[in-house]
Amino acid sequence: MLTLYSFGPGANSLKPTLALYEKGMEFNHRLLNPAKFEHHEDWFKAINPRGQVPALEDEGRIITESTVICEYLEDAHPTAVKLRPESHFDVAQMRVWTKWVDEYFCWCVSTIGWHRHVSKMVKDLSDEEFEKVVARIPVPEQQVKWRRAREGFPQDMLDEEMRKIAVSVKRLDDHLRDNEWLAGGVYSLADICNFAIANGMQHGFSELVNTDDTPGLVRWIEQINDRPAAKAMFAAVPREF
Amino acid sequence: MLTLYSFGPGANSLKPTLALYEKGMEFNHRLLNPAKFEHHEDWFKAINPRGQVPALEDEGRIITESTVICEYLEDAHPTAVKLRPESHFDVAQMRVWTKWVDEYFCWCVSTIGWHRHVSKMVKDLSDEEFEKVVARIPVPEQQVKWRRAREGFPQDMLDEEMRKIAVSVKRLDDHLRDNEWLAGGVYSLADICNFAIANGMQHGFSELVNTDDTPGLVRWIEQINDRPAAKAMFAAVPREF
């Protein structure tokens, strides 16, 4: 059986989790606790040397990178539920959206999330404890991010990320006002991968994501939350806040 | 017939160009001149509103994003030559490599390339001419990059990008010392997309990419250059320097 290593149904971990629920597949779900830095422990770095979730194990082989895992599930484990559009052109549009969330949308939201949440988590550590935590992080750019979270992100960086979030939210809403789904008129990995980042913004970024300013985006977030697979996922694995 | 809009066989434009040559497909090649800022002209922004090459036209529909175009060619125009590995697991590894070049490797090389080449190009413009050029760029982050190219990139940014280039070159070489190709033991889009950025570094970054320090990477660059498709491509469309 497949084993998914994840932080639960939020951010990049949500992508393959929701895909597996949509596909109706059974899988072992090994939840890691980010507050305990479990993803930087040696046992997990033996699975993913980058120390990042999600990771999928399939017959002893490991697939990493959330979007790659989603495409892999469609390739290797086809089910009655298809999470890619039928036409090749629409699949390309789906990939433009999954690429965009990975290269643009997720980063600006992530930095603000770190500023708000991870900063608090690491400020309580002693210098010695913090250095121990950082030393176990295998990716240098991630070490820099942890240090910034502790020292405080520069205000001009936070301002720039908020500008990008506003651009992102508008881009999604512009499309979703006129279209039920992001690509090819059907629910696809484009929706799942963007929902992974956008879900919750109606609370955490309510000044930007609300029924007055972004009615298309809010409708789409609610519509995905109402799907049986999403309900089953959130019921089985409550989102950590 | 397909029409490819590109700058020619370098950087992101090289990816679909080489894929088309490898697949032995006929196509119209519409070359744009970056020194004349043709990609920011209205006629091209009507094709790709982001003002970026490459873009592919297939029966009146436009596909953008170099890596997405390559996957689209495999999906929509299968030929005897396969540019994705056979097994689903190996395709996932291919996508980890194409994702990595798009999210990491291409950006550090690009900034140094801009510092060396684009800076010279825009420094000769008057303030008025430069502002006209910038006003036509649709992507705000690209406008910032053009301004930095004119003002000069901050030294700490250049240092950081050079650090990332060294990391990237080592990552490729570590793999290519022990493996003929990047994914699944076969020549694939992983190789084409990384070659698009790596080719030429044996000249432009010879302090990092050379037969002593990175024998695997140099062997792989030469091996791809020796392929009939690559020779035909470079003969048909000489790389601009």
Side-chain angles (χ1 to χ4, degrees):
Chain A
M1 198 190 289
L2 300 176
T3 297
L4 180 68
Y5 299 86
S6 96
F7 285 159
N12 287 331
S13 285
L14 184 145
K15 299 178 190 174
T17 311
L18 183 51
L20 285 161
Y21 272 87
E22 291 285 359
K23 291 169 76 68
M25 291 179 68
E26 300 236 329
F27 63 103
N28 298 316
H29 203 167
R30 176 71 171 84
L31 287 168
L32 285 81
N33 186 343
K36 291 187 179 165
F37 313 105
E38 276 192 283
H39 49 312
H40 300 145
E41 288 181 13
D42 289 340
W43 72 268
F44 185 68
K45 284 189 284 191
I47 291 167
N48 182 4
R50 292 179 65 81
Q52 291 174 331
V53 290
L56 182 77
E57 187 184 320
D58 188 0
E59 295 187 357
R61 298 207 283 190
I62 304 295
I63 298 102
T64 59
E65 298 289 346
S66 55
T67 305
V68 174
I69 295 171
C70 288
E71 292 250 20
Y72 173 81
L73 289 171
E74 285 300 285
D75 287 339
H77 297 282
T79 57
V81 175
K82 303 292 172 211
L83 297 176
R84 286 190 293 226
E86 278 216 2
S87 91
H88 303 308
F89 177 78
D90 291 334
V91 171
Q93 305 317 302
M94 179 200 89
R95 289 189 176 131
V96 171
W97 279 110
T98 60
K99 196 172 159 65
W100 174 77
V101 65
D102 288 356
E103 295 181 7
Y104 191 91
F105 182 35
C106 86
W107 290 105
C108 45
V109 177
S110 160
T111 301
I112 302 298
W114 276 58
H115 167 64
R116 291 181 183 172
H117 306 296
V118 179
S119 289
K120 281 180 200 151
M121 197 166 97
V122 292
K123 273 178 186 156
D124 292 339
L125 300 175
S126 70
D127 282 353
E128 196 187 353
E129 284 168 330
F130 180 74
E131 288 306 325
K132 257 192 203 165
V133 165
V134 169
R136 284 161 47 203
I137 302 172
V139 177
E141 289 80 12
Q142 286 296 109
Q143 292 193 350
V144 170
K145 202 164 176 182
W146 282 81
R147 289 195 190 284
R148 284 219 181 99
R150 185 165 163 93
E151 292 157 12
F153 289 89
Q155 189 58 45
D156 61 345
M157 183 183 285
L158 296 174
D159 293 345
E160 171 64 2
E161 300 296 37
M162 285 303 295
R163 182 190 69 76
K164 287 184 176 177
I165 290 174
V167 169
S168 300
V169 158
K170 184 174 179 343
R171 187 179 178 204
L172 285 165
D173 186 61
D174 281 351
H175 187 89
L176 292 165
R177 282 187 191 208
D178 301 325
N179 298 275
E180 186 174 11
W181 303 112
L182 288 176
V186 295
Y187 179 70
S188 76
L189 296 180
D191 301 292
I192 289 175
C193 291
N194 278 279
F195 174 77
I197 307 302
N199 188 41
M201 291 183 75
Q202 68 277 30
H203 308 302
F205 295 84
S206 59
E207 73 284 13
L208 291 172
V209 180
N210 55 65
T211 47
D212 288 333
D213 297 314
T214 59
L217 177 53
V218 171
R219 184 269 308 156
W220 171 85
I221 290 173
E222 287 173 355
Q223 200 169 334
I224 298 178
N225 271 295
D226 280 344
R227 293 177 68 86
K231 283 185 178 171
M233 175 185 71
F234 286 120
V237 200
R239 182 165 181 181
E240 24 136 18
F241 277 101
Chain B
M1 199 190 289
L2 300 176
T3 298
L4 180 68
Y5 298 86
S6 96
F7 285 159
N12 287 332
S13 286
L14 184 145
K15 298 179 190 173
T17 310
L18 184 51
L20 284 161
Y21 272 86
E22 291 284 359
K23 292 168 75 69
M25 291 179 67
E26 299 238 328
F27 63 103
N28 297 316
H29 204 167
R30 176 69 171 88
L31 287 168
L32 285 80
N33 187 343
K36 292 188 179 164
F37 313 105
E38 276 191 282
H39 50 311
H40 301 146
E41 287 181 14
D42 288 340
W43 72 268
F44 184 69
K45 283 189 283 190
I47 291 166
N48 182 4
R50 292 178 64 81
Q52 291 174 332
V53 290
L56 182 77
E57 186 183 320
D58 189 0
E59 294 187 358
R61 299 207 282 189
I62 304 295
I63 299 102
T64 59
E65 298 289 346
S66 54
T67 305
V68 174
I69 295 171
C70 288
E71 293 249 20
Y72 173 81
L73 289 171
E74 285 300 286
D75 288 339
H77 298 281
T79 58
V81 175
K82 303 293 172 210
L83 297 175
R84 286 190 292 224
E86 278 216 1
S87 92
H88 303 307
F89 177 78
D90 290 335
V91 170
Q93 304 318 301
M94 178 200 89
R95 288 188 176 132
V96 170
W97 278 109
T98 60
K99 195 172 158 65
W100 174 75
V101 66
D102 288 355
E103 295 181 7
Y104 190 92
F105 182 34
C106 87
W107 290 104
C108 45
V109 177
S110 160
T111 300
I112 302 299
W114 276 59
H115 167 64
R116 291 181 182 171
H117 307 296
V118 178
S119 289
K120 281 180 199 150
M121 197 167 97
V122 292
K123 272 177 185 156
D124 293 339
L125 300 176
S126 70
D127 282 353
E128 196 186 356
E129 284 168 330
F130 180 73
E131 289 304 325
K132 258 192 202 164
V133 165
V134 169
R136 284 161 47 203
I137 301 171
V139 178
E141 289 79 12
Q142 286 296 107
Q143 292 194 350
V144 170
K145 201 163 176 182
W146 282 81
R147 289 194 189 285
R148 285 218 181 100
R150 186 167 164 92
E151 292 156 10
F153 289 89
Q155 191 57 46
D156 61 344
M157 183 182 284
L158 296 174
D159 293 344
E160 171 64 3
E161 300 295 38
M162 284 304 294
R163 182 190 70 76
K164 288 185 176 177
I165 290 174
V167 169
S168 301
V169 159
K170 185 175 179 339
R171 187 179 178 204
L172 285 165
D173 186 61
D174 281 351
H175 186 90
L176 292 165
R177 282 187 191 209
D178 302 325
N179 298 275
E180 187 174 9
W181 304 113
L182 289 176
V186 295
Y187 179 69
S188 75
L189 297 180
D191 301 292
I192 289 176
C193 292
N194 277 279
F195 174 76
I197 306 302
N199 188 39
M201 291 183 76
Q202 68 276 32
H203 309 300
F205 295 84
S206 59
E207 74 283 13
L208 291 173
V209 180
N210 56 66
T211 47
D212 289 333
D213 296 314
T214 59
L217 176 54
V218 171
R219 183 269 309 156
W220 171 86
I221 290 173
E222 287 173 354
Q223 200 169 336
I224 297 178
N225 271 295
D226 279 346
R227 293 177 68 86
K231 284 185 178 171
M233 174 185 72
F234 286 120
V237 200
R239 182 165 181 183
E240 23 135 17
F241 280 99

